[in-house]
Amino acid sequence: MNFLKSRYLTYLLIGVVLASLPFLNQMGVIRSATVTTFGFIVFYAIAALGLNVLLGYSGLISLGTAGFMGLAAYLTTHFTGEWHLHFFASLLLSVLIPTVIGIVVGLVSLRLEGMYLAIATLAVAEVSRQIFIEIWSWSSLRPPAVLLLQGLALDRDGMYLFIVGLLVVLMMLTDNFIHSPVGRALLTMRASEAAAQAMGINLFKYKLMAFGIATAYAAISGVLYAHFIRAVDPSPWTLLLSLQILAVIVIGGFRTITGPIFGSFIVFGVPPLILNQLPVIGDIPGLAFIFNGALIIIVILFYPRGLVYMGQDLKKLIKRKEVKSQ
Amino acid sequence: MSQSKKILTIKGLSIAFGGLKAVDDLSFHVNAGEIYGLIGPNGAGKTTAFNCMTQFYKPDAGQVIFNHLQGEDVDLVGKKTHDIIKLGLVRTFQNVELIGDLTLLDNLLIGAHIAYQTGLFANAFKLPKARREEEEMTKKALEILAFLGIETKAYELAAGQPYGVLKKVELGRTLMSNPKLIILDEPAAGLNDTETAELAKLIKEIRETYSCTVLLVEHDMRLVMGICDRICAISFGKKLAEGTPKEIQASKDVQEAYLGKEASSNA
């Protein structure tokens, strides 16, 4: 029980650190662009958290993340902008609809494995992107600001805090079900399908569940994107984004809750916040992609479990050194 | 006495891969409460027969009649692989199929998968029902680990444990589902003499303590002859002989097909 509490504490701590940024901005310590960058980091981390349930815990690859994110972003723009639904109603619907579509896609495509599943999900994402262009054209839509209560509209900082809060809640919920029969069933399925079947785990049901979870998280991420950036157009929802979110998990760490946040910071945060500020090399076009590409290769070669495990391994190393020196 | 009640009856079981008849018209039965051995030389079709019983393979012909937890006879053929355990029949694997990045305790809890009533939402929100269920199962798993004598390792990862411990964990995992019949696929494979002796003792204890029936598919003659009440010997997918260990040892057919070679190579 204490162990569990300490994991919750980690998530809260991450939340508190992230939530302090707008206040640092108000004090003039950091620029407001930095807060916006962290907003990106956080909602992409949410999508990666969901994808990690699918990829890390159950071992299935999906390249449809960006498609489902985009769908949710468009839906919430439409629901709140055109139909004037309350934000929470819109959030619920904009997550539910892509999730149901995701599960239907899963029903058909989960009979495929490995690369074939990846290609099938990529196809779905590309088709949805074409649909966005057909329906809403290339023009940029402006989702309204989030009204929590009548008269209480969230400004960009408020929305940022809301996103951070949601991230912490989602980390806790994910932690809960990963450390439950559901998470164990997913892990068993990845490690040995034969053992899973022998223990009464319905493979198809759990693959579908993992797929549904990944889709739902991607949709949440898309809704947050829409109301944080407050501009939605078809250009971001490409394979590139799906791959970047995949890179978040590869770099951050498979099968961890904090890995996606760490990875998201490296993939979406380090290039604009640090690399582009450097003299000379900061001006190289596409520097972020060069950085991420090189990093993926380095991580896969030397640290295949992901960088988040570095902390644990360092601790072990220090302990071993202490034991030796005694 | 229920000793003579048939718990598993195999009738005319056959499966062919291409032209090769891996199991050919195999019939035998296992009585409730006994330790039954299925033996045969390499490639005799033991594991194939095993996979046909547990529905990992779909046999071409034959019946696998199992007296399930509610006491009724059902034919397992055609049932879904993941439904078999719910009827009270659970298996182990020759190469130990455990989850390395989970603790021994968690590995045991996987065995209780079918006993859990709560789903994704109850567990995500840690509803009281889900907590209670997890506590109950954890208690049971710790009891089983204590029974196996490895309770001190409960919170250690399965990865890196000695093979003997992993074999025990796999046995423990089968017990989590309250099975009526446990089928062991070559439980002695990869164990040394001491570990095999320990395993033989453990299998007997499992039968007494958890009142289940054990069917083992095995290669190791000392284990089979030491603990089995009755044995069925097969070769090239066909039954050679069935009887007590003494009868099997005396059988000319079996000696020719299996024990003869084994004895000379062991000597």
Side-chain angles (χ1 to χ4, degrees):
Chain A
M1 212 58 206
N2 277 332
F3 179 50
L4 198 78
K5 274 181 189 155
S6 79
R7 281 204 310 254
Y8 274 178
L9 199 67
T10 312
Y11 307 148
L12 280 174
L13 222 63
I14 291 173
V16 168
V17 169
L18 288 171
S20 68
L21 296 178
F23 303 103
L24 289 177
N25 171 37
Q26 278 160 18
M27 289 190 283
V29 183
I30 55 171
R31 294 179 307 147
S32 70
T34 307
V35 180
T36 307
T37 303
F38 270 92
F40 273 95
I41 292 171
V42 174
F43 58 64
Y44 285 139
I46 290 175
L49 192 61
L51 188 63
N52 206 2
V53 173
L54 186 70
L55 180 70
Y57 289 95
S58 36
L60 300 167
I61 304 180
S62 163
L63 291 179
T65 321
F68 290 117
M69 271 182 79
L71 178 61
Y74 270 107
L75 285 175
T76 190
T77 306
H78 196 80
F79 291 152
T80 52
E82 301 282 321
W83 293 1
H84 304 290
L85 288 185
H86 187 273
F87 171 70
F88 286 115
S90 171
L91 175 67
L92 196 70
L93 279 176
S94 310
V95 172
L96 206 63
I97 294 169
T99 307
V100 169
I101 294 175
I103 287 173
V104 172
V105 169
L107 278 173
V108 183
S109 62
L110 284 175
R111 306 193 182 275
L112 304 172
E113 277 174 10
M115 278 323 287
Y116 300 102
L117 178 64
I119 292 166
T121 51
L122 172 62
V124 171
E126 283 301 310
V127 168
S128 12
R129 204 170 75 89
Q130 287 307 319
I131 293 173
F132 306 153
I133 297 171
E134 287 299 322
I135 298 180
W136 290 287
S137 82
W138 278 99
S139 61
S140 179
L141 304 180
R142 306 273 307 156
V146 168
L147 278 169
L148 277 189
L149 295 164
Q150 204 57 45
L152 180 65
L154 290 179
D155 59 359
R156 185 162 273 211
D157 281 352
M159 191 60 202
Y160 173 83
L161 293 177
F162 179 79
I163 296 175
V164 170
L166 206 55
L167 171 76
V168 174
V169 170
L170 284 173
M171 281 199 283
M172 287 178 179
L173 293 182
T174 312
D175 186 294
N176 284 349
F177 75 74
I178 284 302
H179 296 92
S180 86
V182 177
R184 286 192 294 263
L186 293 176
L187 269 173
T188 309
M189 187 167 77
R190 188 188 65 93
S192 161
E193 293 205 344
Q197 284 178 299
M199 293 304 125
I201 294 163
N202 183 338
L203 296 181
F204 193 69
K205 177 185 155 187
Y206 279 92
K207 281 182 183 178
L208 204 58
M209 192 188 281
F211 202 73
I213 292 168
T215 313
Y217 281 45
I220 293 172
S221 172
V223 170
L224 298 177
Y225 175 101
H227 292 284
F228 182 67
I229 308 299
R230 298 199 46 207
V232 176
D233 66 72
S235 58
W237 320 116
T238 58
L239 173 64
L240 180 65
L241 179 59
S242 296
L243 288 176
Q244 278 179 311
I245 292 172
L246 204 65
V248 165
I249 300 173
V250 174
I251 293 172
F254 291 102
R255 293 185 289 290
T256 69
I257 309 285
T258 48
I261 290 86
F262 190 54
S264 187
F265 173 72
I266 292 173
V267 172
F268 295 106
V270 169
L273 293 179
I274 299 170
L275 293 183
N276 290 343
Q277 312 299 325
L278 297 175
V280 190
I281 62 160
D283 299 328
I284 299 172
L287 182 64
F289 300 120
I290 299 171
F291 169 70
N292 285 330
L295 203 59
I296 289 174
I297 295 171
I298 293 170
V299 168
I300 289 177
L301 279 180
F302 301 108
Y303 229 79
R305 287 196 305 159
L307 294 180
V308 81
Y309 290 96
M310 246 179 183
Q312 285 180 20
D313 289 355
L314 274 178
K315 255 187 232 162
K316 271 185 210 159
L317 204 74
I318 292 166
K319 260 189 196 162
R320 219 175 293 156
K321 282 246 172 85
E322 277 173 1
V323 172
K324 265 185 193 168
S325 62
Q326 273 165 8
Chain B
M1 184 129 172
S2 66
Q3 205 66 341
S4 61
K5 198 162 179 251
K6 288 176 189 174
I7 189 167
L8 184 74
T9 314
I10 310 292
K11 280 185 198 162
L13 194 70
S14 301
I15 187 169
F17 299 109
L20 179 78
K21 282 185 175 171
V23 177
D24 191 4
D25 199 21
L26 180 68
S27 299
F28 66 88
H29 73 267
V30 180
N31 293 325
E34 69 181 353
I35 296 178
Y36 191 92
L38 183 63
I39 63 165
N42 267 333
K46 301 183 299 280
T47 298
T48 308
F50 182 105
N51 281 326
C52 287
M53 288 178 227
T54 48
Q55 299 308 310
F56 273 79
Y57 296 160
K58 302 294 164 202
D60 297 332
Q63 286 180 306
V64 180
I65 310 289
F66 178 61
N67 187 267
H68 69 56
L69 284 170
Q70 278 75 41
E72 277 170 50
D73 285 341
V74 283
D75 187 358
L76 299 183
V77 175
K79 293 235 181 293
K80 291 218 167 75
T81 318
H82 59 251
D83 286 336
I84 300 300
I85 190 173
K86 292 175 196 157
L87 299 169
L89 194 162
V90 64
R91 65 169 291 178
T92 63
F93 292 86
Q94 198 173 331
N95 304 317
V96 182
E97 302 272 352
L98 293 172
I99 319 307
D101 26 323
L102 286 182
T103 61
L104 299 192
L105 176 65
D106 280 343
N107 267 292
L108 250 69
L109 289 174
I110 290 165
H113 182 79
I114 51 160
Y116 280 94
Q117 304 288 326
T118 52
L120 178 64
F121 286 98
N123 281 296
F125 292 98
K126 277 209 178 293
L127 299 184
K129 197 182 167 202
R131 279 171 196 257
R132 218 179 310 126
E133 210 170 42
E134 186 79 355
E135 269 169 35
E136 276 169 28
M137 297 298 173
T138 305
K139 194 168 156 251
K140 183 175 174 186
L142 288 173
E143 278 167 15
I144 290 176
L145 284 171
F147 166 77
L148 297 168
I150 47 176
E151 73 272 30
T152 50
K153 288 172 173 277
Y155 295 96
E156 290 176 25
L157 291 186
Q161 296 289 346
Y163 206 57
V165 171
L166 296 180
K167 287 265 177 184
K168 280 185 181 174
V169 174
E170 220 192 19
L171 274 175
R173 187 173 69 180
T174 65
L175 293 175
M176 288 297 290
S177 64
N178 298 326
K180 230 179 144 176
L181 174 64
I182 304 176
I183 315 193
L184 308 174
D185 193 1
E186 307 214 3
L191 296 183
N192 63 31
D193 288 356
T194 331
E195 286 169 329
T196 306
E198 212 181 310
L199 178 77
K201 201 172 142 242
L202 188 60
I203 292 173
K204 281 188 166 176
E205 278 173 10
I206 284 174
R207 171 173 62 172
E208 308 310 328
T209 315
Y210 294 90
S211 54
C212 20
T213 309
V214 179
L215 166 61
L216 50 112
V217 172
E218 189 47 82
H219 213 73
D220 189 291
M221 277 304 133
R222 248 164 313 167
L223 179 68
V224 175
M225 295 302 167
I227 63 169
C228 289
D229 300 309
R230 288 192 309 132
I231 292 168
C232 173
I234 63 172
S235 182
F236 295 107
K238 288 191 175 173
K239 181 154 95 175
L240 287 178
E242 189 180 6
T244 62
K246 273 195 179 153
E247 287 165 0
I248 293 294
Q249 276 169 321
S251 158
K252 275 258 154 18
D253 286 341
V254 177
Q255 279 174 7
E256 252 171 49
Y258 190 89
L259 289 176
K261 284 179 205 163
E262 177 82 1
S264 61
S265 69
N266 267 2

